[in-house]
Structure formats: structure tokens, C-alpha cells
Amino acid sequence: MPTPAISLKRINKRFGPVWANRDIDLTVMPGTIHGIVGENGAGKSTLMSILYGFYTADSGEIAINGKPLSIQSSQQAIDAGIGMVHQHFMLVETFSVLENVLLGAEEQSLLSKVLNHGRKALQRIGKAHGMEVDPDAIVGELPVGMQQRVEILKALYRGARILILDEPTGVLTPQEADRLFEILDQLRSNGVTILLITHKLREIMHICDQVSVMRQGEMVAHRRIVETSTDELANLMVGRKVGLTENKPSAQIGEARLTASGVHYTDSRGIERLHNIHLELRSGEILGVAGVAGNGQSELLNILSGAITPHEGELHLLTSKGEQTLLANESRDARLFRQLGVGHVPEDRLKQGLVPNFSASYNAILGYENDAKYGQHLLSTDNVVADTKTMMASFDVRPAIPELKTANFSGGNQQKLIIAREMMRQPDILIVGQPTRGVDIGAIEFIHQQLIKARDEGAAVLLVSVELEEILALSDRIIVMVDGRISGEVMPSQTNEQELGLLMSNAASTIRETLEVTLPEEVSP
């Protein structure tokens, strides 16, 4: 047997009363792709952070390629040949590819020599692994899949032979994900060892050699891929049988709750992000919005929730709390929309949905702190805590400690807290962005059930997601956004992930040949 690339024995890590890693053993063989799966809060990220030097284990042993190693910092991990590609890229968008790869890894003081050496090394590494990229391209102008490639090249440039990838396909189209898997397969063939953290069990089954399952801080199973299934892995992760498909009754569609007409939006840099958006959102339906990240979905969510104001066009809202037409450039804020019965689950929970340093109880009332029951001028802490406990119990937020700082919750439990805050008030219109990003399969099942329940109770739900499986499973209608425009509309029963991916790429002529969709004249071939 070859010497393991990674050997972890009896790894323990506590954060106060929370035992994040409990006697973890993990062996990863060289030149393999090893999946790590588990619920949010299972301890996966903590374990990978110990391996990459973000945290130091309280106890236990680490060996890399058979050599015992005490990893006290990320630099020590990098020196040991370990690289990590984070879910949220660590790139300077205004820098070139070459400048991003070299940043922090300069070996000489003379810039011209650094750039010349780096350019040659980058081209050599890219060619060796089938990952060529223009070294002079500006990172912010590259598609997401290419940006991810830059992150991988950064790690390889620093000598990584062990590569940790955290939710690598979360922002990719199906076509980009397929290309990533080709790259990972090539890296494996070249002897690179890969640790893959993902909640997408189909990806685990497709690309991995082995998989390890964590639950509640412990390692509960190791499996060879040829000896397991998605059903078994899901059950091991959650500790119970999990439904992997959504069975929802037919939609009982009612009146239009929200109508957008001729909406245009230009950002502070003068770039038009939304162009001539027309849509109608009706009670009793889930309207899915598919698209590659950065094609106007974020601006659409912010306009429909009242966070920003369009420069042209109008919105018409009709809810049980009133009717209002809002014209372009008319003064508004998110508070007005909440008063009209609009709930908003933002796509970035940390930037828009939460204040991480606040307690869970304070985050549970954000946006609603002026409600009379909370005391308005002087917060009624008892009422706030009582409501938070109800939310935590109803939406299975763990740990159920209202006083705990929100930063100490896992990403999935932070997400459930936001969804509880918005849905417990039974809004007539629910604007939802990326509801299950970075969320485990058990929480995904629960969140999907709640969205379907809201629809069935008459809410009008707009769902933005980069997860095409999620869009297809939940939506009653689907629109696709490309370059700030609605490029087409299709019924879920008439399409699949690959065809949606083509529509997301604005391959209008190809789409027209493969399925019936409505395409605006301006994008017709």
C-alpha cells in the first residue's frame, strides 16, 4: 500500500461548549479525489480549516505523505504542499490573472523578474494540467468558471500537491461544472490529491474515488464510491431517510401580486445591469429565475425587495395589506415593502441578511425591530427571545441558543434563521435568493418544503438560484436572465438542466432547436 497523502488521527477541536471535531480519523490516498460530506455544523469546515492551518487542533496527529506535521498557520500548510480553493474566491478583481497568482508569493524584490518568472511558470502549469488562461486578462472580466481556474492555478503555483475545494460548483453552470470535473480528473491523473467538500451527492458519485461522512462533529462512515449510493450517503449524513425529490401538488395560481414593467437599472459605474425587465408574479406560484451569477439577478432581487430603486419602469404591488404603484426614482426603502407584506431572503446571508456579531435573537428581528410587540423605542428582550425560540424550534436552527453570537452558527443554520425570520410572518410576496447555497441535504429538504408550503398557502414566491436542480424541482414557471435581460421563459416540464444551461449562455439558436421557449425579439438569432 502506498503511503497516505493525508493521515488525521483522533483530531479534536472545541469552541467553548461546542465540540466541533470529536476524535476524527481520516486517511486519504495520494492521487485520489476524496469527498467529505455532512450536514451544516457537522464539522467539515472545521476539519479542513485545521488541515489548512486556519485553526489548530486541541489534540490529535497530522501526517502529510507519512511525515508528522504540526500545522500552526496557513503558510505552514502551503509549505507542506496543501492548497485551498474557497467557495468565495479570494481574488482581486481589478488585477490581472498573473498578478493574482503572484500576489503574496513573490520571491524577489525586482518586479520585472517576478513577473517574467511567474508568467513562464503559470503557462507551464496551465499547459501541464489542461488549464490554460490568458495571464494578462483582468480577473473581474472573466466568467466565474475561469475565475475558479485562477484560484486553482494560484494553489498549484505555490506547489500544492494536495488541493482542498470547498463547494466548487456552487456558482457554476452545468457546462462549467463539467469542465471543472475534467480539470479535476486531469489533476488526479497528474498525481494531485483532492479533497472535495460538497453538498451535491451526485457530484460525489460522479467524480470521487472515496467519500467520508461526518455527523455532529464525528466521522460516521467511510465508503468507496463503487460500494455506495446517494440514498445511503444522504441517510448517513442526516441519520434518517431523506427525500431527494420534491413532490408538490399542482399550483393554484391566483391574481398578480407583483408586476414589474420596463425596469432598467444602471449601477454606480454606469453599467446597465437590468434592461427592460417585464415580469408578473402571481399568488400561488413559484417563479424561478435561472442564470449564471452576475447577470442581473442580484439587482432584480434588490429592486423587488425595495433595497434599491430602478432608473426606469415601475412596480405594482397588490397584497392583503394594500396596493401601491412605485415609479422609477421614486423614494422608497425596504421598510415600505415589508409593511406591504413582502418578505426577502437575500442571496448573501452575511452581507445582507445578518449582522454576524449580533446575537441570534437580534438577527431574528432585523427589519422588524419597530414592531409594537418588541417595544419600538426600548426593545422588549423577553419578547425577542421568546420569538427567536419559536423560530428556532419551527425551523430546526441549531444550537437553539438565542443569545449565541450569529457568527458561531454554521452557514446552514444562519440560513435557516433568516428564512424563519421572513416566513414566520406569512408574507404575501416572498423574494428568495439562493435559499440553499452552502446548505446540507437535510436542510435543503426542509427549506424546499417550507417554500412549497408558502406557495400552497397563497404566497407569490420569486426564487433566484444558481442550482438548476432546485429551479426545476420547485418552480411552476422559469425565466432565464442573461446580461440583465430576460432571455426566455419555459415550463419546468418542458426542459432539463442541460437545456437551461444553454439558455443561460444565450445560445438562442441551439435552444430553439431543442425545446419550445418564448424568446424576446432582441435576442432572437
Side-chain angles (χ1 to χ4, degrees), residues 248-257 280-287 455-461 474-478 489 491-492:
K248 64 180 190 290
S250 299
Q252 301 299 312
I253 298 176
E255 61 188 344
R257 291 292 193 188
E280 186 177 74
L281 179 61
R282 294 169 289 186
S283 66
E285 76 165 345
I286 297 177
L287 175 60
R455 180 205 75 159
D456 292 345
E457 291 175 351
V461 182
L474 294 179
S475 302
D476 300 298
R477 287 188 295 133
I478 300 171
E489 179 178 321
M491 302 302 290

Side-chain angles (χ1 to χ4, degrees), residues 250-310:
S250 299
Q252 301 299 312
I253 298 176
E255 61 188 344
R257 291 292 193 188
L258 188 156
T259 304
S261 303
V263 170
H264 291 252
Y265 177 75
T266 302
D267 69 14
S268 58
R269 294 182 294 173
I271 299 172
E272 188 176 48
R273 296 298 183 182
L274 294 176
H275 177 81
N276 198 30
I277 297 295
H278 294 268
L279 66 82
E280 186 177 74
L281 179 61
R282 294 169 289 186
S283 66
E285 76 165 345
I286 297 177
L287 175 60
V289 181
V292 179
N295 277 269
Q297 305 97 307
S298 298
E299 290 78 10
L300 181 65
L301 286 169
N302 285 330
I303 283 173
L304 298 185
S305 63
I308 61 177
T309 303

Side-chain angles (χ1 to χ4, degrees), residues 91 119 121 180 216 232 240 266 274 411 417 500:
L91 298 171
R119 183 182 298 274
L180 172 64
Q216 297 181 1
E232 183 191 28
R240 60 177 173 81
T266 302
L274 294 176
L417 182 64
L500 272 180

